[in-house]
């Protein structure tokens, strides 16, 4: 593509990228392409032209709103439409017969295929999708109505009493209810895919917390399979009349294998549970038989209700939070619907509606069962029909509320041998029921359905986590099979985890473990909702409005506190895992961008801090060298990047500047990130290098966060390049001085531009500017005769001299002119880095033989006031001696090719005019006027070769050439003379003559 420069601007065609021929279907004229364009981009509505031949319509490429423009995926059976680019709307068709189109918007498979072939494709079969009732509400209710409801709720009622049991139920329901509101808000803030809870949290909070909580939640669901399976086994053991626990484990080991066959039986399980509830309620109304009375059931009695209303703590678990930890897993099924969000017809509607309805009905059922069982059954009963209270015996020695109803359970109460009653008999609901087998069927249905929901949820969550590749060694489990992308490998892993916990075979031990993991998950979900709301991001627009960010925060704090109140060591383990995974993710920085609330919060914080900085004037104590580094593509000058990073990393701003002549999309941020360089990258489009750098100098940064030091590489081939290029180079330095920038120029023995050997340019108009200047990137230009792209891996692995440990060498600082202290500050910042810490800093200053000691003491005192830690100061007495004649001769020979020959008798006027038009030329008057300064640079180079031959870095105060007095070529020659023939890197530094160091405390 040829760059067309008109005046100081670039023709807009330089910004365009080419469209492939396959997209235009061979159309070469604007009319032909415009007609075909509407098939891909436009619409056939009356407001849009369908081709140039239809004059009755309004002719425009503008397309009306269409969902295809915002979708990330294609619709089966037809080609996806694309919004026309801005250039396609405003450019003239005759500018280019093929309007440009960004390559990345081209759908896969478009090239080489006609639209007719596309439309004839058979659409893929749609996977099975669920509505809000079957997919969410019933699934959540079945997961909530688990083993705890039938086997532990009566026992919890006996321990905590009806009053505190209601508190436990309502507290759990408040946590799950608020979490349900938060989940609904997050789920309705965009299209929800597979992955459930992990997907919601990770896309809201980002991969750092989302990944860790997704792993914990998947693990908690796998352990919940074990809990429900153990509850199932308890019921089977009771039916088998006391089988051994080992036999129980063997009975249920293969249970998870067949759970996948029951997904279509969800409604059947739900009906079975509802029938069991009906049987239980009817049983509480039916008058109690003697057999049931012997087991503690007396139907509804006010005295029993009053007695059971207060707590009666027993055993190790006998405390409020002990009972809460055992009950809470029964309320954790609220995310069963969200966990299969990828299988729902409309997740944004189904998740909030189904989840909240499930919470309401299950909470109501828990309250009813707790109140009814506590009103009908006493805490202790022997189950013996002989333990009746005869009319002749006395009631004085009878213990228990059952004495009022003719039963004496005193012996078993005193001896702790009662095996019935709600404090001792886990199957109390079966005993109360009108038909006990229906309760057994309900237990089977509840345990099977809950285990099924957990076994489905855990692999789905884990599969989504594996596909995101946040953690190593788990990608194997992300592979899916079949039209529904079933996670068979993750199912196997969940089965193994469940079997390991099944071996514990104690429901009261497994339940508290699950409680902590679920509370941790709920804490993060509520915090996600709060964090997304508090950032005020425009992207946070949930269609579900019935939530409150402060309520979500309160619930998150409550979950955190309850975790430690339940089992402090389990809470520490849970948060230890979260912090470990968080640290790993922060260290690895996975290449994902989900638009999380953490990103929005970072933006808010950065914006507020930048605004607050504007309200405070700069102070010399807070001065930091904020560097604009003219690197071009940063990977092309790694040594320059590495040096500047040494004194800006974690301290101040670094920005890599790049002037291009053609718009490019590559940002080079990934290279900086992989090299662990904390820097911004900014490129500008300009017709020439100097104007582009001027744009960077004036437009880079934000408020106080803007560069104040310009760094660039030395133009080593200035004597062989065109004079215009050398003049432009010096013009950049002068522009920086005009804008009150400090300036640094780095020269190394090796070439800074490591990309140059791979490229050659044929356009003589750019001369050496493209080849050697630090910021012009030329990829894509037609004037490249040969270009071999650099290998990014090779660039990353290529070490530079500034990446190595410098050892016990010296940093020699030649503080020859006072520039405000920047010449001293930069070496000091280098010595604060580990790789430079052992280096000794030597400061050299100018002086004369008569006052060397006095001058040394004066500078030493000043440096001590600055507290820089430099203790070696040397005075250069021979700085003003005349340089060697051979070096003077080399200087004169160097200037001869840039000298303007004029005959003072005949061509004085024409020579003066030419010097004004071409200011890089040098006259005899210029050389004579600047002879002393020229000799000083030559002499200083001789001193550098004597004193600093072994230095690891030489820092010199850069001389300043007066505009109009010192021609640009002469000034560039000074810099050449000063830094040539040195084995050590040379950094020429000139501050902006304002203080950057102070010895005052205010």
């Amino acid at each position: 593509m040829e760059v067309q420069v008109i005046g100081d601007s670039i023709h807009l065609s330089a910004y365009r990228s080419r469209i492939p021929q396959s997209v235009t279907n061979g159309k070469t004229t604007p009319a032909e392409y415009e007609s075909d364009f509407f098939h891909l981009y436009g619409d056939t509505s009356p407001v849009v032209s369908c081709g140039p031949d239809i004059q009755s319509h309004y002719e425009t490429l503008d397309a009306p709103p269409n969902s295809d423009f915002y979708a990330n995926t294609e619709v089966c059976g037809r080609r996806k439409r694309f919004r026309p680019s801005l250039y396609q709307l405003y450019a003239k068709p005759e500018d280019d017969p093929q309007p440009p189109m960004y390559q990345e918007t081209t759908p896969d498979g478009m090239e080489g295929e006609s639209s007719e072939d596309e439309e004839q494709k058979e659409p893929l079969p749609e996977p099975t999708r669920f509505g809000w009732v079957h997919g969410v509400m019933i699934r959540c209710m079945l997961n909530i109505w688990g083993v705890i409801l039938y086997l532990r709720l009566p026992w919890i009622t006996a321990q905590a009493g009806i009053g505190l049991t209601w508190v436990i139920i309502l507290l759990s329901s408040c946590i799950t209810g608020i979490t349900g509101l938060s989940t609904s808000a997050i789920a309705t803030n965009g299209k929800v895919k597979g992955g459930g809870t992990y997907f919601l949290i990770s896309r809201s909070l980002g991969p750092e917390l989302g990944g860790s909580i997704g792993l914990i939640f998947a693990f908690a669901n796998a352990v919940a399979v074990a809990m429900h399976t153990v509850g199932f086994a308890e019921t089977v053991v009771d039916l088998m009349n006391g089988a051994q626990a080992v036999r129980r484990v063997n009975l249920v080991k293969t249970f998870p294998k067949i759970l996948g066959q029951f997904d279509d039986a969800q409604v059947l399980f739900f009906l079975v549970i509802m029938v069991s509830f009906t049987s239980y309620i009817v049983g509480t109304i039916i008058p109690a038989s003697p057999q049931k009375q012997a087991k503690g059931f007396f139907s509804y009695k006010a005295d029993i209700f009053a007695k059971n209303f207060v707590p009666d703590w027993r055993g190790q678990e006998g405390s409020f939070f002990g009972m809460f930890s055992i009950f809470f897993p029964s309320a954790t099924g609220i995310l069963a619907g969200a966990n299969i969000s990828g299988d729902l017809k409309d997740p944004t509607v189904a998740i909030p509606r189904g989840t909240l309805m499930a919470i309401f009905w299950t909470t109501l059922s828990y309250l009813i069962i707790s109140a009814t069982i506590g009103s009908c059954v006493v805490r202790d009963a022997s189950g013996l029909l002989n333990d009746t209270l005869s009319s002749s015996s006395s009631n004085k020695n009878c213990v228990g509320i059952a004495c009022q109803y003719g039963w004496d359970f005193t012996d078993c109460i005193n001896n702790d041998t009662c095996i019935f009653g709600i404090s001792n008999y886990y199957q109390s609901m079966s005993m109360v029921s009108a038909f006990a087998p229906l309760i057994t069927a309900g237990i089977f249905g509840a345990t099977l359905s809950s285990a099924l929901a957990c076994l489905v949820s855990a692999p789905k969550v884990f599969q989504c986590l594996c596909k995101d590749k946040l953690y190593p060694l788990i990608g194997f489990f992300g592979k899916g099979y079949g039209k529904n992308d079933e996670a068979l490998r993750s199912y196997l892993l969940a089965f193994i985890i469940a079997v390991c916990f099944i071996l514990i075979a104690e429901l009261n031990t497994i339940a508290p473990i699950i409680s902590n993991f679920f509370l941790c998950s709920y804490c993060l979900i509520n915090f996600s909702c709060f964090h997304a709301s508090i950032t005020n991001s425009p992207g946070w627009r949930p269609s579900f409005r019935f939530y409150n960010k402060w309520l979500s925060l309160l619930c998150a704090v409550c979950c955190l506190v309850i975790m430690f109140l339940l089992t402090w060591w389990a809470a520490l383990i849970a948060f230890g895992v979260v912090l470990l995974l968080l640290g790993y993710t922060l260290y690895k920085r996975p290449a994902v961008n989900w638009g999380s609330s953490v990103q929005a919060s970072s933006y808010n914080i950065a914006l507020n801090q930048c605004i607050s900085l504007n309200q405070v004037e700069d102070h010399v104590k807070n001065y930091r060298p904020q560097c604009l580094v003219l690197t071009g593509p940063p990977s092309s000058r790694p040594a320059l990047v590495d040096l500047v990073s040494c004194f800006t990393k974690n301290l101040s701003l670094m920005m890599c500047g790049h002037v291009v002549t053609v718009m490019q999309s590559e940002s080079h941020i990934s290279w900086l990130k992989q090299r662990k360089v904390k820097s911004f990258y900014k490129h500008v489009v300009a017709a020439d290098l100097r104007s582009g750098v001027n744009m960077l100098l004036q437009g880079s940064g934000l408020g106080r966060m803007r560069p104040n030091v310009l760094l660039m590489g030395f133009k080593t081939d200035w004597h062989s390049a065109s004079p215009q290029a050398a003049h432009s180079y010096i013009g950049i330095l002068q522009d920086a001085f005009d804008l009150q920038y400090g300036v640094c120029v780095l020269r190394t023995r090796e070439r800074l531009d490591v990309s140059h050997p791979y490229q050659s340019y044929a356009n003589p108009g750019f001369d050496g500017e493209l080849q050697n200047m630090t910021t012009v990137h030329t990829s894509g230009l037609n004037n490249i005769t040969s270009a071999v792209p650099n290998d990014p891996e090779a660039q990353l692995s290529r070490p530079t001299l500034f990446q190595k440990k410098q050892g016990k060498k010296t940093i020699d600082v030649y503080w020859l002119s006072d520039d405000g202290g920047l010449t001293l500050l930069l070496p000091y910042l280098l010595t604060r880095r580990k790789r430079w810490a052992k280096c000794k800093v030597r400061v050299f200053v100018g002086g004369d033989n008569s006052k060397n000691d006095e001058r040394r003491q004066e500078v030493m005192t000043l440096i001590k006031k600055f507290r820089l830690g430099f203790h070696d100061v040397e005075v250069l007495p021979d700085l003003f001696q005349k340089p060697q004649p051979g070096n003077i001769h080399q200087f004169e020979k160097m200037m001869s090719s840039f000298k303007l020959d004029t005959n003072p008798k005949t061509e004085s006027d024409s020579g003066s005019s030419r010097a004004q038009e071409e200011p890089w030329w040098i006259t005899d008057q210029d050389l004579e006027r600047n002879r002393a300064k020229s000799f000083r640079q030559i002499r200083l180079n001789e001193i550098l070769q004597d004193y600093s031959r072994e230095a690891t870095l030489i820092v010199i105060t850069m001389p300043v050439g007066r505009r109009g007095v010192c021609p640009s070529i002469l000034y560039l020659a000074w810099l050449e003379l000063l830094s040539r023939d040195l084995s050590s890197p040379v950094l020429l530094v000139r501050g902006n003559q304002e203080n950057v160091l102070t010895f005052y405390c205010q």
Side-chain angles (χ1 to χ4, degrees), residues 68 83 238 280 425 585 619 858 890 934 997:
D68 278 5
R83 183 188 297 110
D238 288 334
Y280 165 75
Y425 188 46
T585 311
H619 195 284
E858 178 185 353
Q890 288 184 5
S934 300
L997 295 173

Side-chain angles (χ1 to χ4, degrees), residues 891-947:
F891 166 69
E892 293 175 347
K893 184 178 180 181
M894 181 190 304
M895 293 292 97
S896 61
S897 58
F898 298 99
K899 191 174 179 181
L900 181 64
D901 294 328
T902 59
N903 188 337
K905 296 181 179 179
T906 61
E907 299 182 2
S908 58
D909 293 338
S910 62
S912 176
S913 175
R914 184 179 180 187
Q916 292 178 359
E917 295 175 359
E918 300 175 347
W920 49 82
W921 294 110
I922 303 174
T923 63
D924 291 334
Q925 291 83 356
D926 294 329
L927 290 175
E928 186 63 31
R929 188 186 304 124
N930 295 282
R931 181 174 299 276
K933 290 186 177 180
S934 300
F935 284 0
R936 176 184 170 92
Q937 313 311 322
I938 300 173
R939 176 57 186 157
L940 185 56
N941 180 260
E942 296 173 353
I943 293 175
L944 293 177
Q945 296 191 37
D946 290 339
Y947 284 81

Side-chain angles (χ1 to χ4, degrees), residues 737-860:
F737 289 141
D738 289 340
L739 295 171
Q740 290 296 299
Y741 272 72
V743 174
C744 299
V745 177
L746 176 65
R747 183 174 187 177
T748 58
R749 190 169 185 176
E750 298 81 12
R751 192 179 186 87
L752 284 176
D753 186 0
V754 298
S755 66
H756 176 62
Y758 298 94
Q759 298 177 346
S760 62
Y761 303 92
N763 188 346
F766 288 98
D767 298 307
E769 194 169 334
L770 277 177
Q771 297 184 31
N772 305 302
M773 297 301 281
T774 59
T775 57
V776 175
H777 177 59
T778 58
S779 62
L781 292 176
N782 291 334
N783 60 358
I784 297 180
T785 57
S786 64
V788 180
N790 297 317
D791 182 8
E793 295 296 330
Q795 292 174 357
L796 281 174
S797 60
R798 182 186 295 117
T800 65
L801 66 163
F802 301 115
Q803 285 184 308
K804 304 173 183 177
K805 289 188 176 181
Q806 304 301 322
K808 296 183 179 180
K809 297 182 180 180
T810 63
I811 300 176
D812 290 352
V813 181
Y814 289 81
W815 195 22
L816 306 177
S817 304
D818 196 326
D819 60 347
L822 187 63
T823 307
L824 290 179
L825 180 61
L826 294 184
Y828 166 74
L829 295 177
L830 283 177
T831 57
R832 294 174 60 178
R833 301 299 175 188
K834 187 176 181 180
R835 69 185 69 161
W836 297 83
K838 295 183 179 180
C839 291
K840 178 183 178 182
V841 179
R842 299 189 301 176
V843 181
F844 296 87
V845 295
D848 54 59
N849 292 326
S850 60
K851 299 182 180 180
N852 281 353
D853 293 339
E854 181 180 344
R855 176 62 175 160
R856 180 182 181 278
Q857 188 62 36
E858 178 185 353
V859 175
M860 193 69 192

